[in-house]
Amino acid sequence: MNRKDADVVIIGAGLTGLTLAYYLKRNGKYPVIIEKSDRPGGVINTVSDRGFIYETGPNTGVLGTPEIASLFDDLSDSCTLATADPKAQKRYILKNGKWHALPSSLISAIGTPLFSFKDKMGILAEPFRKPGIDPDESIGMMVVRRLGQSYLDYAVDPFISGIYAGDPQKLVTRYALPKLYALEQNYGSFIRGAIKKSREMKSEAEKKATKEVFSVKGGLGNLIMPLAENTGEKNIFYEASGTCVEPEGNGFSVIFSDKRGDSIKLSAPVIVSTIGSYNLPDLLPFITPYKLSPITNMEYAGVVQVALGYNKWEGHVLDAFGGLIPSKENRQVLGILFPSAIFSGRAPEGGALLSAFLGGMKRPEMINKQDVEIEEIVLREVESTLFPGQHPDLLKIFRYTHAIPQYGISSGERLDSIRKIQEQYPGLILAGNIRDGIGMADRVKQAKLIADMLK
Ligand SMILES: Cc1cc2nc3c(=O)[nH]c(=O)nc-3n(C[C@H](O)[C@H](O)[C@H](O)COP(=O)(O)OP(=O)(O)OC[C@H]3O[C@@H](n4cnc5c(N)ncnc54)[C@H](O)[C@@H]3O)c2cc1C
């Protein structure tokens, strides 16, 4: 290859792309990002409106990897990590129309009405149950096998809604919850594994992964801004359209139209895609649909998120992270988070900010409902469970047709295809949440690992 306009061209200025650019620059490389929308952040976006600070996409992350903790250390001059108020640690689960706190101690686990007596007693035998032998076992099957049906219905199902907007019977544990899978495989039991792991020596880096719930002072947008600034305005092409990659010499060319409609061609030895699988065929026309299909076949959960702001809150006491709603309850909302209870400054004094989620794999029809219908559903659910007879002062609806990729039964084939394509075209890296985890901490970890690999 003769010409080089960048060391690495990154497709997508979401959290993965921006973090990658940040660490590439720190490693002395020159990255350029191509982004189709007019702003950085991808699905992360914070809005400030009438005294409320709300997220239109993800609300909170978990400090679950050393890399996300290190990113906050690295950005400490330009953004302030906010961890959840300890008073908001409780998680409510709805059963028969009432919120019950998910047990956090042995005593509360015995007393909770969430689980059946049989399963509560059965948990004593969990450490002695044999590990599973099917590597593609679903989360649902695994949980019933180890813990019992009521734990699936009233703990795992609502949590899977909260994380994946998914169906625990369709997500494969090994790919969707690899840490849980490893607990059983490595230690023979969840309980024994959790106890042993908590006693293991941790490196200084591992100690940083405190598993606390995080955001950023002023909202997650304040994590995005310093990352984008670090990449530099001139190195991010916003409103790029028709972007496509072609092999060229020992590297690649990327062709797109910039926001003025001018055609641009950039050459680089490395291209990193961070976009959804459904956008890959247009980006990579030189790869046959047959080869891409195990990747493009991946299912996504659609999610509707509704931000609700109340200037004066006189409803259910918001002393929790939020409330999750098991599918068994047959309600139309997956869960309602309480962002103003988790982080300060999200609502006017005495007021409250809620964030309701609808849709997911079990209620895909929600994504196509009109705003008036969504509003009606959410108000009905909030009024019946949290704040009777009170209308919010702010209500905003956001739709994501491809919110969360589902790491289901075809994940092995997908990962295999990604590996084969990357081997066939050295320098082409297919990243983003099509692999390595869907949470923000996973995204940062992947970006940091790729930046280090490209050193
Ligand atoms: C509603 C919702 C709630 C969530 N809640 C949580 C949560 O509570 N906690 C958590 O940890 N995670 C949550 N997630 C997941 C997490 O937010 C995402 O996995 C993560 O932010 C994805 O970052 P990304 O950079 O990989 O992808 P994205 O944010 O999707 O960024 C990809 C970027 O690529 C751009 N792009 C796409 N196609 C092209 C193209 N052809 N050319 C150029 N640019 C292109 C897009 O415009 C976008 O900016 C949530 C996600 C959603 C949607």
Side-chain angles (χ1 to χ4, degrees):
M1 199 171 98
N2 308 321
R3 226 180 95 230
K4 183 173 91 169
D5 300 299
D7 289 319
V8 182
V9 172
I10 301 166
I11 316 294
L15 182 60
T16 312
L18 290 169
T19 308
L20 174 60
Y22 177 79
Y23 283 115
L24 283 170
K25 270 190 95 174
R26 276 205 4 177
N27 293 346
K29 300 278 180 191
Y30 174 38
V32 166
I33 304 183
I34 298 174
E35 166 57 52
K36 77 171 176 190
S37 83
D38 60 357
R39 60 162 188 87
V43 297
I44 298 176
N45 187 29
T46 308
V47 179
S48 201
D49 184 3
R50 290 170 273 163
F52 298 96
I53 295 176
Y54 61 86
E55 305 287 352
T56 68
N59 274 274
T60 62
V62 177
L63 290 173
T65 65
E67 288 80 7
I68 182 84
S70 296
L71 180 65
F72 281 113
D73 286 348
D74 294 337
L75 295 174
S76 59
D77 285 347
S78 43
C79 86
T80 308
L81 172 70
T83 51
D85 187 330
K87 291 200 286 290
Q89 266 175 7
K90 217 185 281 174
R91 264 91 169 148
Y92 284 120
I93 305 284
L94 197 76
K95 186 167 185 182
N96 300 329
K98 275 196 167 159
W99 297 113
H100 300 278
L102 196 72
S104 56
S105 69
L106 194 61
I107 302 287
S108 56
I110 294 167
T112 182
L114 291 173
F115 312 129
S116 69
F117 179 74
K118 177 172 156 270
D119 289 345
K120 284 182 198 171
M121 291 297 110
I123 203 122
L124 298 171
E126 194 277 338
F128 309 103
R129 286 193 187 113
K130 283 198 192 121
I133 47 167
D134 175 5
D136 285 336
E137 187 175 32
S138 71
I139 296 172
M141 302 266 282
M142 185 191 208
V143 169
V144 171
R145 178 170 57 72
R146 293 213 72 83
L147 303 174
Q149 185 69 40
S150 63
Y151 282 91
L152 173 64
D153 293 342
Y154 285 97
V156 174
D157 169 279
F159 264 85
I160 290 299
S161 280
I163 300 169
Y164 274 94
D167 179 347
Q169 300 296 359
K170 289 194 180 155
L171 292 164
V172 172
T173 319
R174 179 157 66 117
Y175 303 110
L177 295 179
K179 287 183 184 160
L180 188 73
Y181 180 73
L183 272 190
E184 192 193 41
Q185 291 302 309
N186 299 342
Y187 302 92
S189 136
F190 297 160
I191 296 176
R192 245 183 306 137
I195 294 171
K196 284 205 177 143
K197 266 199 94 70
S198 69
R199 291 186 186 146
E200 277 170 8
M201 287 282 283
K202 285 193 177 128
S203 66
E204 284 309 309
E206 284 166 343
K207 279 185 201 157
K208 287 181 173 181
T210 57
K211 301 200 169 56
E212 286 167 291
V213 167
F214 77 82
S215 176
V216 175
K217 191 170 176 212
L220 289 166
N222 287 344
L223 168 62
I224 295 304
M225 282 311 148
L227 287 172
E229 276 163 23
N230 183 273
T231 307
E233 187 77 12
K234 69 175 183 8
N235 300 322
I236 309 183
F237 289 87
Y238 291 109
E239 296 176 67
S241 59
T243 305
C244 77
V245 173
E246 288 292 346
E248 179 193 72
N250 295 330
F252 301 89
S253 61
V254 186
I255 300 145
F256 60 96
S257 297
D258 72 4
K259 61 178 152 196
R260 290 189 306 253
D262 293 340
S263 180
I264 308 246
K265 179 178 166 190
L266 298 177
S267 299
V270 177
I271 306 290
V272 183
S273 164
T274 70
I275 68 179
S277 64
Y278 47 93
N279 279 330
L280 285 176
D282 289 341
L283 182 73
L284 307 170
F286 60 97
I287 301 180
T288 62
Y290 175 75
K291 277 193 189 152
L292 270 182
S293 62
I295 309 173
T296 51
N297 282 347
M298 180 166 56
E299 282 190 293
Y300 280 77
V303 168
V304 182
Q305 205 209 149
V306 184
L308 299 122
Y310 297 80
N311 287 327
K312 198 165 162 47
W313 181 262
E314 289 172 331
H316 191 292
V317 54
L318 300 179
D319 55 351
F321 177 83
L324 292 169
I325 307 184
S327 328
K328 274 225 133 179
E329 293 296 294
N330 253 323
R331 311 288 286 235
Q332 288 183 293
V333 168
L334 299 174
I336 303 167
L337 304 185
F338 308 160
S340 58
I342 313 172
F343 305 113
S344 59
R346 301 298 167 104
E349 193 62 34
L353 177 72
L354 308 181
S355 172
F357 288 88
L358 299 84
M361 296 304 284
K362 291 192 176 176
R363 291 225 172 239
E365 71 281 5
M366 288 294 164
I367 200 88
N368 297 319
K369 288 205 187 289
Q370 303 289 317
D371 279 6
V372 282
E373 289 176 275
I374 295 287
E375 182 169 335
E376 200 182 298
I377 291 168
V378 169
L379 291 182
R380 194 169 57 234
E381 297 286 8
V382 170
E383 289 180 16
S384 69
T385 61
L386 287 169
F387 201 173
Q390 189 65 34
H391 268 54
D393 301 290
L394 172 142
L395 190 147
K396 300 279 175 190
I397 299 170
F398 307 96
R399 285 181 177 74
Y400 299 86
T401 47
H402 294 91
I404 314 276
Q406 304 292 303
Y407 294 172
I409 191 75
S410 60
S411 294
E413 282 171 31
R414 181 178 72 258
L415 298 177
D416 214 36
S417 286
I418 292 173
R419 184 182 52 74
K420 282 187 187 147
I421 290 170
Q422 293 184 160
E423 274 170 14
Q424 188 180 354
Y425 299 99
L428 175 64
I429 299 175
L430 302 183
N433 61 13
I434 60 171
R435 61 176 169 99
D436 304 333
I438 57 137
M440 288 184 276
D442 303 312
R443 301 293 79 246
V444 168
K445 178 176 178 176
Q446 183 192 60
K448 175 78 169 58
L449 292 181
I450 293 173
D452 288 347
M453 188 185 81
L454 295 174
K455 253 182 189 172

